[in-house]
Amino acid sequence: MDVRGAVAVVTGASSGIGAATALRLHEAGARLVLHGRDGDRLAALAERTGGVAVRADFAEPGAVEAAAAEITRAGRIDVLVNNAGLGYAGPVSGMSGADVRRLLSVNLAAPVELTRALLPDLLDRPRAAVVFVTSIAGRAGVAGESVYSATKAGVDVFAESLRLELAGTGVRVGVVVPGVVDTEFFARRGRPYQRRSPRPVPAGKVADAVLEAITAERAEQYVPRWLRLPIAVRATAPSVYRALSARFGGSS
Ligand SMILES: NC(=O)c1ccc[n+]([C@@H]2O[C@H](COP(=O)([O-])OP(=O)(O)OC[C@H]3O[C@@H](n4cnc5c(N)ncnc54)[C@H](OP(=O)(O)O)[C@@H]3O)[C@@H](O)[C@H]2O)c1
């Protein structure tokens, strides 16, 4: 679909991949609704892009519903990019119940709830798009990131099901599956990225893939593209995959 003049909602637009995506969409001629928690960053991005800022902490009960109401009050919507999310570093045995609930709420429940709430408006448009920023962790599994991986796998299969459910409508569904991206994600989760490979890619690369998911209506994109290979091995030769990941796949 053409994003010129389209209204795009980007969650987690106050940082990293979401901020880069908002700027790409702005450059491509979209109008923006920018979600995040950090009011100062959102205000700066809103000023730069002419977008509307919506603040909400998706870990708080009722926050997604309230944000959806604010977004729909602001006007029509053509694109929803579900990007907001957070990580956690460490084994599940060391997590508190609150840690688990926060990841489930922000990474899984929020994109599902927001999509559900905004879908009637998206279905009203002749052409619309929903894009989910998932993670390679949701396709491969990563030691020390089991709950994070589960949230991303949940979003992934929600997107796949939604794509089938919306066949025949004007709403296209895409997932962008990043590997390691150079953002504040790792510092915020409390442990810097510690592997030598894969090397972190710039957030702009993921933003390019999100834009392409919308404009070229792509169902799935890995960033970087070669990440599809280990996932293909996992699907076709699971025992080989498990042997290789036991040898090379540690925590990130
Ligand atoms: N970086 C990577 O290597 C990587 C790899 C694969 C997938 N991803 C996914 O990419 C997405 C964006 O991450 P990023 O790398 O850009 O990280 P980031 O720079 O830390 O940005 C995360 C964004 O999510 C928002 N967010 C975090 N907790 C929130 C909450 N409780 N309620 C509402 N919003 C919240 C943040 O808002 P505030 O800043 O305003 O708090 C921020 O805008 C996430 O879904 C992440 O899982 C990242």
Side-chain angles (χ1 to χ4, degrees), residues 7-225:
V7 179
V9 178
V10 181
T11 71
S14 42
S15 182
I17 294 168
T21 298
L23 288 172
R24 286 287 190 283
L25 283 163
H26 170 64
E27 286 156 14
R31 292 193 284 135
L32 293 166
V33 179
L34 305 160
H35 157 269
R37 288 179 304 180
D38 187 317
D40 292 342
R41 285 185 175 190
L42 277 183
L45 193 60
E47 194 177 318
R48 188 167 165 194
T49 60
V52 175
V54 173
R55 285 180 70 188
D57 183 341
F58 287 162
E60 296 295 326
V64 178
E65 241 177 353
E70 196 176 333
I71 291 165
T72 48
R73 268 198 308 274
R76 70 160 221 259
I77 311 154
D78 305 280
V79 173
L80 169 60
V81 180
N82 282 298
N83 162 76
L86 77 159
Y88 180 93
V92 67
S93 55
M95 295 179 82
S96 67
D99 292 334
V100 171
R101 282 191 294 278
R102 191 176 312 107
L103 283 179
L104 292 173
S105 299
V106 179
N107 292 3
L108 177 57
V112 171
E113 283 182 45
L114 190 63
T115 303
R116 180 205 62 77
L118 298 185
L119 209 46
D121 291 56
L122 292 164
L123 284 164
D124 267 352
R125 307 297 304 154
R127 213 73 178 157
V130 184
V131 179
F132 297 87
V133 177
T134 64
S135 170
I136 192 67
R139 298 216 165 173
V142 180
E145 297 187 39
S146 53
V147 179
Y148 175 74
S149 300
T151 63
K152 292 297 181 177
V155 169
D156 218 356
V157 78
F158 173 70
E160 192 66 40
S161 308
L162 191 67
R163 182 177 310 112
L164 297 171
E165 220 168 280
L166 295 175
T169 75
V171 184
R172 295 289 171 271
V173 178
V175 293
V176 171
V177 188
V180 182
V181 189
D182 185 11
T183 69
E184 293 169 31
F185 176 88
F186 294 98
R188 286 177 165 191
R189 74 175 188 175
R191 193 175 72 207
Y193 180 62
Q194 55 193 18
R195 293 171 60 117
R196 275 199 300 189
S197 75
R199 281 171 189 265
V201 301
K205 289 252 181 231
V206 186
D208 289 340
V210 173
L211 189 62
E212 210 177 318
I214 301 163
T215 54
E217 301 185 351
R218 290 211 202 294
E220 169 180 288
Q221 285 188 97
Y222 288 90
V223 186
R225 285 176 202 272

